[in-house]
Amino acid sequence: MDPGGSCVPDDPDVRRMMEGSTLRKVKSRLWKRQRHFRLLEDGLTIWYKSRWAGKGHSTFSVTDLEAVREGHQSEVLLSIAEEFPAELCFTFVFHGRQGNLDLVAESPEEAQAWINGVRKLIHKAQTMDEQERLDQWVRDWFLKADKNKDGKMNFKEVKTLLKMMNVEMNEEHALHLFTMADKSESGTLEIDEFVHFYKILTQRDEVWKVFQDYSGDGETLTLEELENFLTVEQQEGERSSRHAQELIQSYEPSETAKKQSAMSLDGFQVYLCSQEGSIFKPEYLELQQDMSQPLSHYFISSSHNTYLLEDQLRGQSSLEAYIQ
C-alpha cells in the first residue's frame, strides 16, 4: 500500500526527503546534534539516526504530526535565534502531549523542502479514506513494536503487541488466524500479513450479522438492500435512495462491486466507521460559542500540571502544553 499517494514519486520536495538530509536536532541552547533524516518508501514514515548509533534508529509517522511551524516558532529555536537564522529553522508539532521536534537545516532550500514536503504529506494523510486510516494505524503500531527493526514478528511478539493495542483474544483462535495469515510459512508475520491478521482477528460479529440480515446472497448489499438498511436502521426516509448510491461510490473498495451498484462487507464496515456512520452530530465539530470576548471572560480547562509535557517529577515545562 502506498498511502502517500501520487505525490510521493512526482513531488520534488517529497523526493528530496526520500533522498535524505543531515539536520540538527535541537533540544536546548546547548544541545544541538546532527541526525540523518529521510522519508521511507511508504511515503508516511520518517526515519532518523545518529551516525554514531550503529544500527539503532528512530521513526515516527506523518500521521503523528499536527503541523509544521516555520522559523523561530518554539521556545527552543528562539533561544538559538542569534546562532541560526529563521530560514534554516522549523518545528514538527505532534498530536497530543508529545514534545515538539525542533530542527535546523544546512540551507534555506533544504529547510523549505522539508517544510513543504511534510505539509503535503500531512494533508495527504488527513484526506485518507477510513480503510486507509485503519491500515496505517495498524502499520504504525507494528513499526513501534518491532524492536529489532527486522520487519517481522513471531506469535509471541504479536501477542505482546495486541495487548499494547488493547485487543482481547482467545490465544488458540489467534494462533489459528496467525497461521492462516503467515503465507510464507516462516513462523513470522511481515507488516502486510500483520495488517491482514489484525483485520480478521477484530472482525465485528455484530456488523456481520446486520449485513447478513439485509443481504440477499450474504456477499453484498444491492442498491435496493442498502436503501432498505438506510430507511429502517438509519431512519433516513426519502433521502435513502440517493444516499445509498453516494455511499457505494465513497466507501466501497471493490471496483467490481461499484460497477454493480453494490456494497461488500468491507465497504459496509468502512461506511459504519466513517463520520457519516458516527452518532456524533457533525455540526458540533465546528465552533459553537462566542469567541470574541477577552480571554479573562472564559473558563479554561487546565490544572496545575498543564504546563508539563511529561510526568510532574521529571517532565519538561513548556508553553507548548497549554497551546496543545
Side-chain angles (χ1 to χ4, degrees):
M1 185 183 83
D2 179 16
S6 60
C7 72
V8 171
D10 299 333
D11 187 89
D13 294 325
V14 176
R15 271 206 310 272
R16 186 159 184 175
M17 290 170 61
M18 297 183 87
E19 291 167 1
S21 302
T22 298
L23 307 170
R24 280 186 177 86
K25 181 181 176 182
V26 185
K27 289 187 176 180
S28 69
R29 193 165 53 84
L30 300 177
W31 198 101
K32 304 179 284 286
R33 307 282 169 81
Q34 286 190 329
R35 299 287 185 265
H36 186 71
F37 285 77
R38 66 183 175 91
L39 177 69
L40 298 186
E41 290 73 16
D42 66 358
L44 281 173
T45 305
I46 294 177
W47 174 102
Y48 67 97
K49 67 171 288 186
S50 162
R51 55 184 166 180
W52 300 284
K55 293 184 179 180
H57 63 271
S58 299
T59 61
F60 60 88
S61 173
V62 170
T63 58
D64 296 333
L65 296 176
E66 183 177 317
V68 184
R69 295 185 194 155
E70 199 168 346
H72 300 138
Q73 293 197 56
S74 75
E75 295 170 274
V76 171
L77 292 179
L78 277 171
S79 72
I80 61 167
E82 293 184 3
E83 185 177 358
F84 297 105
E87 59 264 27
L88 299 181
C89 301
F90 56 98
T91 301
F92 290 157
V93 181
F94 290 84
H95 293 292
R97 298 183 70 82
Q98 183 175 345
N100 293 344
L101 179 57
D102 293 304
L103 299 168
V104 179
E106 295 187 345
S107 71
E109 294 75 23
E110 192 164 50
Q112 282 301 309
W114 279 88
I115 292 165
N116 294 332
V118 171
R119 283 174 175 168
K120 291 167 190 171
L121 293 175
I122 289 174
H123 175 73
K124 188 70 180 177
Q126 290 173 340
T127 55
M128 286 180 184
D129 64 34
E130 296 300 321
Q131 189 62 55
E132 289 173 328
R133 286 178 188 274
L134 174 61
D135 288 356
Q136 189 57 43
W137 180 78
V138 177
R139 285 167 175 270
D140 289 345
W141 269 109
F142 183 96
L143 292 172
K144 289 174 186 174
D146 183 17
K147 300 299 183 184
N148 63 356
K149 307 301 179 186
D150 66 349
K152 298 177 182 178
M153 283 193 183
N154 60 34
F155 184 63
K156 183 179 179 181
E157 291 172 317
V158 165
K159 283 197 303 178
T160 302
L161 173 54
L162 291 173
K163 287 180 181 177
M164 292 166 58
M165 298 169 77
N166 293 319
V167 175
E168 295 184 5
M169 60 175 174
N170 174 284
E171 188 169 324
E172 185 178 340
H173 177 60
L175 179 58
H176 173 68
L177 297 181
F178 178 95
T179 305
M180 288 174 55
D182 180 17
K183 300 299 183 185
S184 61
E185 299 182 354
S186 62
T188 60
L189 298 184
E190 297 182 5
I191 191 164
D192 287 333
E193 292 173 328
F194 179 74
V195 171
H196 175 64
F197 164 77
Y198 177 85
K199 286 180 180 178
I200 57 178
L201 180 66
T202 58
Q203 182 173 299
R204 301 277 297 272
D205 290 340
E206 65 273 27
V207 173
W208 180 83
K209 184 178 183 307
V210 171
F211 184 85
Q212 293 298 314
D213 286 345
Y214 284 88
S215 172
D217 62 4
E219 298 294 329
T220 61
L221 292 173
T222 65
L223 186 60
E224 183 179 350
E225 290 166 346
L226 181 56
E227 287 176 23
N228 189 27
F229 167 79
L230 295 175
T231 302
V232 176
E233 302 291 346
Q234 307 296 68
Q235 299 181 22
E236 293 195 2
E238 295 179 359
R239 178 172 175 259
S240 61
S241 178
R242 175 174 48 83
H243 195 208
Q245 188 64 59
E246 292 173 356
L247 292 177
I248 290 170
Q249 293 304 313
S250 298
Y251 298 111
E252 175 52 49
S254 167
E255 289 300 324
T256 302
K258 276 186 181 179
K259 290 176 183 176
Q260 296 171 349
S261 292
M263 179 173 275
S264 65
L265 177 60
D266 283 343
F268 188 63
Q269 291 186 126
V270 171
Y271 153 60
L272 289 180
C273 293
S274 72
Q275 287 295 326
E276 288 193 79
S278 174
I279 196 171
F280 189 82
K281 290 187 176 181
E283 56 264 30
Y284 285 174
L285 292 171
E286 304 297 326
L287 193 61
Q288 298 291 307
Q289 295 82 18
D290 174 15
M291 301 302 293
S292 62
Q293 303 295 315
L295 186 61
S296 58
H297 288 199
Y298 299 93
F299 289 102
I300 300 173
S301 178
S302 66
S303 73
H304 65 287
N305 285 333
T306 298
Y307 62 89
L308 295 172
L309 289 174
E310 297 174 27
D311 67 82
Q312 65 184 43
L313 296 178
R314 295 166 297 178
Q316 179 185 351
S317 304
S318 174
L319 290 174
E320 288 298 329
Y322 284 103
I323 294 170
Q324 293 179 23

